Amino acid sequence: MKTIANFYFLEDGKSTVNFYNGSLVELLENKLDVDVNKLKRAFFVAKVVPVFVFCGASVVTQNVGKNKVFSYEVHVEDEESFFRNMNEFIESFVNQHL
């Protein structure tokens, strides 16, 4: 499996995101209207993770250290298939809600 992103959330609400593919940033920001610089953990877990999983990703989570850093690694087997599924999901969602 290939890691395409790491999301880190601190208990105080701050977050850090490392993307290994610019296409994921584009999908989140331009098509899903998610500001990755202001992403909150609750929103990420409730709204973004289910879409990732539905589209074929695995999300590995862990609590790191005493500072209560919550880490989420997004893994995919087939990057091309994942992005195709993401685009199809977004397209169908937008078409249903317009």
Side-chain angles (χ1 to χ4, degrees), residues 1-6 18-21 73-76 79:
M1 294 199 108
K2 180 178 182 180
T3 302
I4 59 170
N6 289 322
N18 296 321
F19 291 101
Y20 303 104
N21 184 314
E73 290 184 355
V74 182
H75 302 271
V76 295
E79 214 171 337

Side-chain angles (χ1 to χ4, degrees), residues 34-96:
V34 173
D35 185 346
V36 296
N37 295 316
K38 296 180 181 177
L39 192 59
K40 299 294 181 196
R41 181 173 169 249
F43 179 84
F44 176 76
V45 170
K47 302 291 184 179
V48 178
V49 169
V51 174
F52 285 168
V53 172
F54 180 79
C55 293
S58 296
V59 180
V60 178
T61 183
Q62 61 181 327
N63 187 348
V64 182
K66 295 177 183 177
N67 296 333
K68 295 191 179 178
V69 176
F70 300 93
S71 166
Y72 298 84
E73 290 184 355
V74 182
H75 302 271
V76 295
E77 291 256 349
D78 181 354
E79 214 171 337
E80 185 178 315
S81 176
F82 172 74
F83 286 108
R84 184 175 51 253
N85 291 341
M86 285 284 291
N87 280 309
E88 288 173 4
F89 175 81
I90 293 166
E91 221 174 270
S92 72
F93 182 80
V94 168
N95 290 337
Q96 289 178 7

